[in-house]
Short mmCIF file of all heavy atoms in Angstrom, two decimals:
data_model
loop_
_atom_site.label_atom_id
_atom_site.label_comp_id
_atom_site.label_asym_id
_atom_site.label_seq_id
_atom_site.Cartn_x
_atom_site.Cartn_y
_atom_site.Cartn_z
N ALA A 1 213.93 -151.64 235.84
CA ALA A 1 213.43 -152.99 235.57
C ALA A 1 212.65 -153.05 234.25
O ALA A 1 212.73 -154.02 233.49
CB ALA A 1 212.57 -153.47 236.74
N ALA A 2 211.87 -152.02 233.97
CA ALA A 2 211.08 -151.98 232.75
C ALA A 2 211.93 -151.77 231.51
O ALA A 2 211.46 -151.99 230.39
CB ALA A 2 210.06 -150.84 232.80
N TYR A 3 213.22 -151.41 231.70
CA TYR A 3 214.11 -151.18 230.60
C TYR A 3 215.05 -152.39 230.35
O TYR A 3 215.97 -152.31 229.51
CB TYR A 3 214.96 -149.96 230.84
CG TYR A 3 214.16 -148.67 230.80
CD1 TYR A 3 213.53 -148.18 231.95
CD2 TYR A 3 214.10 -147.89 229.63
CE1 TYR A 3 212.80 -146.99 231.95
CE2 TYR A 3 213.40 -146.72 229.59
CZ TYR A 3 212.76 -146.26 230.74
OH TYR A 3 212.04 -145.09 230.72
N ASP A 4 214.87 -153.46 231.14
CA ASP A 4 215.74 -154.64 230.93
C ASP A 4 215.70 -155.04 229.46
O ASP A 4 214.63 -155.05 228.82
CB ASP A 4 215.24 -155.82 231.79
CG ASP A 4 215.68 -155.66 233.25
OD1 ASP A 4 216.57 -154.83 233.51
OD2 ASP A 4 215.10 -156.34 234.11
N ASP A 5 216.85 -155.44 228.93
CA ASP A 5 216.94 -155.77 227.52
C ASP A 5 215.88 -156.82 227.07
O ASP A 5 215.25 -156.68 226.03
CB ASP A 5 218.35 -156.26 227.19
CG ASP A 5 219.35 -155.11 227.22
OD1 ASP A 5 219.07 -154.07 227.83
OD2 ASP A 5 220.42 -155.26 226.61
N LYS A 6 215.75 -157.83 227.86
CA LYS A 6 214.80 -158.95 227.51
C LYS A 6 213.36 -158.42 227.50
O LYS A 6 212.55 -158.76 226.62
CB LYS A 6 214.93 -160.11 228.48
CG LYS A 6 216.18 -160.89 228.29
CD LYS A 6 216.22 -162.15 229.16
CE LYS A 6 217.48 -162.96 228.95
NZ LYS A 6 217.53 -164.16 229.83
N VAL A 7 213.04 -157.57 228.45
CA VAL A 7 211.69 -156.98 228.51
C VAL A 7 211.40 -156.15 227.28
O VAL A 7 210.32 -156.25 226.66
CB VAL A 7 211.50 -156.15 229.80
CG1 VAL A 7 210.17 -155.39 229.78
CG2 VAL A 7 211.60 -157.01 231.04
N GLN A 8 212.35 -155.32 226.90
CA GLN A 8 212.19 -154.47 225.75
C GLN A 8 212.10 -155.27 224.46
O GLN A 8 211.33 -154.95 223.55
CB GLN A 8 213.37 -153.45 225.67
CG GLN A 8 213.30 -152.37 226.73
CD GLN A 8 212.10 -151.43 226.54
OE1 GLN A 8 211.89 -150.93 225.45
NE2 GLN A 8 211.39 -151.21 227.61
N GLU A 9 212.91 -156.32 224.34
CA GLU A 9 212.87 -157.14 223.13
C GLU A 9 211.56 -157.89 222.99
O GLU A 9 211.05 -158.08 221.88
CB GLU A 9 214.00 -158.17 223.18
CG GLU A 9 215.41 -157.51 222.98
CD GLU A 9 216.51 -158.50 223.30
OE1 GLU A 9 216.23 -159.66 223.67
OE2 GLU A 9 217.71 -158.09 223.18
N GLU A 10 210.94 -158.25 224.08
CA GLU A 10 209.63 -158.98 224.04
C GLU A 10 208.48 -158.01 223.72
O GLU A 10 207.58 -158.38 223.01
CB GLU A 10 209.39 -159.66 225.40
CG GLU A 10 210.35 -160.83 225.68
CD GLU A 10 210.13 -161.39 227.06
OE1 GLU A 10 209.28 -160.87 227.81
OE2 GLU A 10 210.80 -162.34 227.42
N LYS A 11 208.50 -156.82 224.27
CA LYS A 11 207.37 -155.91 224.14
C LYS A 11 207.44 -154.91 222.99
O LYS A 11 206.42 -154.54 222.44
CB LYS A 11 207.20 -155.14 225.48
CG LYS A 11 206.74 -155.98 226.66
CD LYS A 11 206.45 -155.11 227.87
CE LYS A 11 205.88 -155.93 228.99
NZ LYS A 11 205.57 -155.08 230.20
N ASN A 12 208.66 -154.48 222.70
CA ASN A 12 208.80 -153.37 221.75
C ASN A 12 209.62 -153.73 220.52
O ASN A 12 210.26 -154.81 220.46
CB ASN A 12 209.39 -152.15 222.46
CG ASN A 12 208.51 -151.63 223.56
OD1 ASN A 12 207.28 -151.79 223.48
ND2 ASN A 12 209.07 -151.05 224.59
N ILE A 13 209.67 -152.86 219.55
CA ILE A 13 210.28 -153.12 218.26
C ILE A 13 211.57 -152.30 218.10
O ILE A 13 211.75 -151.26 218.76
CB ILE A 13 209.34 -152.83 217.12
CG1 ILE A 13 209.02 -151.36 217.03
CG2 ILE A 13 208.08 -153.69 217.24
CD1 ILE A 13 208.23 -150.95 215.80
N GLU A 14 212.43 -152.70 217.17
CA GLU A 14 213.58 -151.96 216.81
C GLU A 14 213.17 -150.86 215.83
O GLU A 14 212.43 -151.17 214.82
CB GLU A 14 214.69 -152.82 216.23
CG GLU A 14 215.29 -153.81 217.23
CD GLU A 14 216.49 -154.56 216.62
OE1 GLU A 14 216.98 -154.13 215.54
OE2 GLU A 14 216.86 -155.55 217.22
N CYS A 15 213.59 -149.66 216.04
CA CYS A 15 213.20 -148.55 215.19
C CYS A 15 214.39 -147.98 214.47
O CYS A 15 215.55 -148.25 214.79
CB CYS A 15 212.48 -147.46 215.99
SG CYS A 15 210.98 -148.04 216.80
N VAL A 16 214.12 -147.11 213.51
CA VAL A 16 215.14 -146.46 212.73
C VAL A 16 215.62 -145.18 213.51
O VAL A 16 214.83 -144.27 213.77
CB VAL A 16 214.66 -146.07 211.31
CG1 VAL A 16 215.78 -145.31 210.54
CG2 VAL A 16 214.18 -147.28 210.58
N SER A 17 216.86 -145.18 213.87
CA SER A 17 217.40 -144.06 214.64
C SER A 17 217.49 -142.80 213.78
O SER A 17 217.68 -142.83 212.57
CB SER A 17 218.83 -144.42 215.13
OG SER A 17 219.41 -143.34 215.87
N GLY A 18 217.30 -141.63 214.47
CA GLY A 18 217.52 -140.36 213.79
C GLY A 18 216.30 -139.80 213.11
O GLY A 18 216.42 -138.73 212.46
N GLN A 19 215.15 -140.45 213.22
CA GLN A 19 213.93 -139.87 212.60
C GLN A 19 212.74 -140.19 213.47
O GLN A 19 212.72 -141.19 214.19
CB GLN A 19 213.76 -140.45 211.17
CG GLN A 19 213.50 -141.93 211.13
CD GLN A 19 213.43 -142.46 209.70
OE1 GLN A 19 214.24 -142.12 208.85
NE2 GLN A 19 212.41 -143.24 209.42
N TYR A 20 211.72 -139.29 213.41
CA TYR A 20 210.54 -139.50 214.19
C TYR A 20 209.81 -140.75 213.73
O TYR A 20 209.81 -141.07 212.54
CB TYR A 20 209.58 -138.29 214.02
CG TYR A 20 210.12 -136.97 214.57
CD1 TYR A 20 210.25 -135.90 213.71
CD2 TYR A 20 210.48 -136.84 215.92
CE1 TYR A 20 210.77 -134.68 214.24
CE2 TYR A 20 210.95 -135.63 216.43
CZ TYR A 20 211.09 -134.57 215.59
OH TYR A 20 211.57 -133.36 216.05
N PHE A 21 209.25 -141.46 214.73
CA PHE A 21 208.45 -142.69 214.41
C PHE A 21 206.99 -142.29 214.36
O PHE A 21 206.26 -142.39 215.37
CB PHE A 21 208.73 -143.71 215.48
CG PHE A 21 208.06 -145.06 215.20
CD1 PHE A 21 207.78 -145.48 213.93
CD2 PHE A 21 207.70 -145.87 216.25
CE1 PHE A 21 207.14 -146.70 213.68
CE2 PHE A 21 207.08 -147.10 216.05
CZ PHE A 21 206.82 -147.51 214.72
N ILE A 22 206.56 -141.83 213.20
CA ILE A 22 205.17 -141.39 213.04
C ILE A 22 204.31 -142.52 212.59
O ILE A 22 204.61 -143.22 211.58
CB ILE A 22 205.14 -140.21 212.01
CG1 ILE A 22 205.99 -139.05 212.51
CG2 ILE A 22 203.68 -139.76 211.77
CD1 ILE A 22 206.16 -137.92 211.53
N GLN A 23 203.21 -142.77 213.31
CA GLN A 23 202.33 -143.89 213.06
C GLN A 23 200.96 -143.37 212.67
O GLN A 23 200.34 -142.61 213.39
CB GLN A 23 202.24 -144.78 214.28
CG GLN A 23 203.61 -145.28 214.76
CD GLN A 23 203.52 -146.18 215.98
OE1 GLN A 23 202.90 -147.23 215.97
NE2 GLN A 23 204.18 -145.74 217.03
N GLY A 24 200.51 -143.82 211.48
CA GLY A 24 199.20 -143.40 211.02
C GLY A 24 198.11 -144.32 211.50
O GLY A 24 198.22 -144.95 212.51
N GLY A 25 197.03 -144.35 210.74
CA GLY A 25 195.89 -145.22 211.11
C GLY A 25 194.93 -144.52 212.05
O GLY A 25 195.09 -143.32 212.41
N ASN A 26 193.92 -145.24 212.47
CA ASN A 26 192.94 -144.70 213.41
C ASN A 26 193.58 -144.39 214.72
O ASN A 26 194.42 -145.11 215.21
CB ASN A 26 191.80 -145.72 213.56
CG ASN A 26 190.59 -145.14 214.23
OD1 ASN A 26 190.65 -144.79 215.44
ND2 ASN A 26 189.49 -145.02 213.51
N GLU A 27 193.10 -143.31 215.35
CA GLU A 27 193.73 -142.88 216.62
C GLU A 27 193.50 -143.86 217.74
O GLU A 27 194.20 -143.83 218.75
CB GLU A 27 193.27 -141.46 217.01
CG GLU A 27 191.82 -141.40 217.38
CD GLU A 27 191.42 -139.99 217.88
OE1 GLU A 27 192.31 -139.12 217.98
OE2 GLU A 27 190.22 -139.79 218.15
#
């Protein structure tokens, strides 16, 4: 249920496949 396409589109972002998603800034 948490993986439903609409749920994911509302909460999360599209990322670049094939590379780590490293996020900087304050922890």
